[in-house]
Structures are given as structure tokens and as C-alpha cells.
Amino acid sequence: MRQLHPEAIAAIQSKALFSKTEEQLLSKVGSTSQPTLETFQDLLHRHPDAFYLARTAKALQAHWQLMKQYYLLEDQTVQPLPKGDQVLNFSDAEDLIDDSKLKDMRDEVLEHELTVADRRQKREIRQLEQELHKWQVLVDSITGMSSPDFDNQTLAVLRGRMVRYLMRSREITLGRATKDNQIDVDLSLEGPAWKISRKQGVIKLKNNGDFFIANEGRRPIYIDGRPVLCGSKWRLSNNSVVEIASLRFVFLINQDLIALIRAEAAKITPQ
């Protein structure tokens, strides 16, 4: 270990798993609060023996956001699983299957449909490859759990497990892209999106620097566990958890850029 380059040592240490003690301390930071890097820096100073020596305020903030996204904070609750005979696990279902009724029958209609579907998917893949340059402007793959660095064009980031969407205009549409429906944020890039409407919602930045999300789809959008029904809107804060049909995202605001926008708006607004 001593023979490794200091940067290599730091990279290895930064990947150390969080202990139960560390997560217990992080879970005490409220989900409705707006903690800054100074909040987590103060946490490091107050508990130097509890945290691993390579921990930084940014690393604590990123792990706290992950815990909030999966409802692991002290003030968050998760609905319990149903109990009783209606709960069927995989083993029980497997025992109910009658092997004698499982026959390997050739279904020509099904095979034809699968062939057609395969051709359609290949055609869509080719179309996406041709439009790849468009997606690269808005979608950035996540390579680590570190907090994203904002540039001077990114107003906010909608971060999921697989991808993060960069908001670079004052209004963006969210939903499921199809051949006949092009939107700004295609949620199917994050995961299964067949339950999501083609135009599920809109995120807008007001002149005063506040972000609002409006639900235009059939299914509710959950913001920090609160349902936003069709036709309604809700204010988005920094670190808000946005849940759309089992897909979860964290909404991160470029505080520096928004502060500049608010300052400019204050100059224009007559006193």
C-alpha cells in the first residue's frame, strides 16, 4: 500500500463502505432540511472518531442523498409489506406449477410477433444511434456516487441510479419518448418506463429562482413522499426526491447559478 501513488491510495480509500455508526449519524440529518457542505463538515468535526479518516463533506453529502432516496433516514417511513396468506413467495409459486401441463408447443403466431418486434427494436436502436449527439447534451452517465459538478449552463440536475439529466433551459418536459413524441427528458433511459405517460410532467424555473414541477400525466408524481396529482404542481427544493412510477431521482439545484439569476431579477424588479 505504501508503494502506491497517493492519488491511487485516496481513490481506494474513498470507496470504503459506510459503517453502521456512520449511517446512524447521517440518518439524523432531517430529510426535509436543506443541508449544505458546511453541515456535513461540522458533522465530521463533531464525530472525528466515528467517521473513516478518508471521509469528506462531499462524500457524506452524496451518501446522505442516497439514504434519503431509499427512505433510510430516521424521519422517513416505509410502508410495510402485506402480511397473511395473500403473500406468495417464489418457492410457493413454484410448488403450484404442474410440470405435466407444461408442454413445449410451437406457436407460429407468437414467433412471427417476436420476429416483427425484434426488427422494430433494431430499427429503433439504429435511430437512437443516429440521434446520440442530441442525448449527450442532456444526459450524462453516472460513473460514481460523487456529487455532480455544475457548469455555468446547468441550472439543475435530475439524478437517478443509471443516468443524470442536465437541465439547461428554464423549462423541460419529462416522460417517455416515442417515434411520434419527442421530449427533453426520456425517463426510459433510467429504467422500465411503460407505466409513465408520454408527457408525464414539466419542470419550470420561475423568474424568482424557484423550481416547480407540474404533473400532466395520468399517474401521480411523488415529491419527498407527497403525491402530486394530474393538473397539480409542486415546488422543488434542493435534494428533493422525485418518484415517478417506481423510478426515483434526486433533484439537485445549482445554487450559485440560481443565486445569480435571483440577483438579476431583483435588479429588474422595481422597488
Side-chain angles (χ1 to χ4, degrees):
M1 191 76 173
R2 296 191 189 96
Q3 297 175 356
L4 293 175
H5 192 277
E7 292 183 0
I9 295 175
I12 294 171
Q13 290 179 336
S14 66
K15 296 179 181 178
L17 298 178
F18 278 75
S19 64
K20 289 185 178 180
T21 303
E22 290 177 311
E23 290 191 335
Q24 285 175 355
L25 291 172
L26 287 175
S27 67
K28 293 179 181 179
V29 180
S31 61
T32 57
S33 63
Q34 298 294 322
T36 61
L37 285 177
E38 288 75 14
T39 305
F40 296 101
Q41 189 65 47
D42 180 63
L43 197 62
L44 282 173
H45 287 316
R46 286 190 287 110
H47 305 279
D49 298 331
F51 288 101
Y52 182 55
L53 56 91
R55 300 289 186 226
T56 62
K58 268 194 172 184
L60 296 187
Q61 185 183 46
H63 196 72
W64 177 84
Q65 291 170 352
L66 188 65
M67 292 177 65
K68 178 182 178 181
Q69 186 172 352
Y70 289 96
Y71 295 87
L72 297 177
L73 302 181
E74 279 189 357
D75 59 348
Q76 291 179 311
T77 57
V78 180
Q79 294 295 331
L81 292 173
K83 297 181 179 180
D85 297 336
Q86 71 273 19
V87 179
L88 191 66
N89 58 35
F90 182 79
S91 299
D92 295 335
E94 192 175 30
D95 292 338
L96 295 176
I97 297 177
D98 187 356
D99 293 340
S100 62
K101 295 182 180 179
L102 299 178
K103 298 180 181 180
D104 187 12
M105 299 180 63
R106 182 182 179 87
D107 191 335
E108 295 182 357
V109 175
L110 178 60
E111 289 182 357
H112 175 71
E113 291 181 353
L114 290 175
T115 302
V116 173
D118 182 62
R119 292 175 182 171
R120 186 185 306 115
Q121 290 174 353
K122 289 180 179 178
R123 188 164 56 249
E124 291 176 354
I125 290 173
R126 286 194 295 267
Q127 182 180 357
L128 286 174
E129 289 176 345
Q130 295 172 358
E131 299 177 353
L132 186 60
H133 65 282
K134 298 180 182 178
W135 297 112
Q136 289 174 341
V137 176
L138 190 63
V139 181
D140 184 19
S141 297
I142 290 180
T143 56
M145 293 313 300
S146 60
S147 180
D149 294 325
F150 297 104
D151 54 31
N152 57 3
Q153 295 181 345
T154 301
L155 299 169
V157 171
L158 191 64
R159 191 181 73 181
R161 290 181 62 250
M162 304 302 297
V163 295
R164 63 187 180 193
Y165 302 90
L166 309 181
M167 182 175 178
R168 290 181 171 172
S169 60
R170 287 178 173 263
E171 179 176 336
I172 59 173
T173 56
L174 298 80
R176 175 171 47 85
T178 61
K179 291 181 180 179
D180 304 325
N181 180 57
Q182 294 300 321
I183 54 174
D184 298 321
V185 176
D186 183 9
L187 298 176
S188 63
L189 297 177
E190 169 68 14
W194 58 274
K195 292 183 179 180
I196 296 175
S197 301
R198 286 179 292 180
K199 187 177 181 182
Q200 181 66 52
V202 177
I203 297 179
K204 291 183 180 180
L205 171 62
K206 301 292 186 180
N207 291 333
N208 62 356
D210 291 338
F211 289 87
F212 282 86
I213 184 170
N215 187 357
E216 299 184 4
R218 291 176 297 175
R219 293 180 175 273
I221 298 175
Y222 291 88
I223 309 298
D224 292 326
R226 303 182 185 90
V228 180
L229 303 179
C230 179
S232 302
K233 64 180 180 179
W234 193 267
R235 182 176 177 270
L236 289 172
S237 303
N238 192 37
N239 291 319
S240 287
V241 175
V242 181
E243 185 174 353
I244 307 174
S246 77
L247 297 180
R248 287 178 182 170
F249 306 88
V250 176
F251 187 74
L252 303 173
I253 297 174
N254 188 346
Q255 304 280 17
D256 295 337
L257 184 55
I258 297 305
L260 292 175
I261 292 175
R262 285 174 174 163
E264 291 297 325
K267 293 178 183 179
I268 298 174
T269 303
Q271 300 295 330

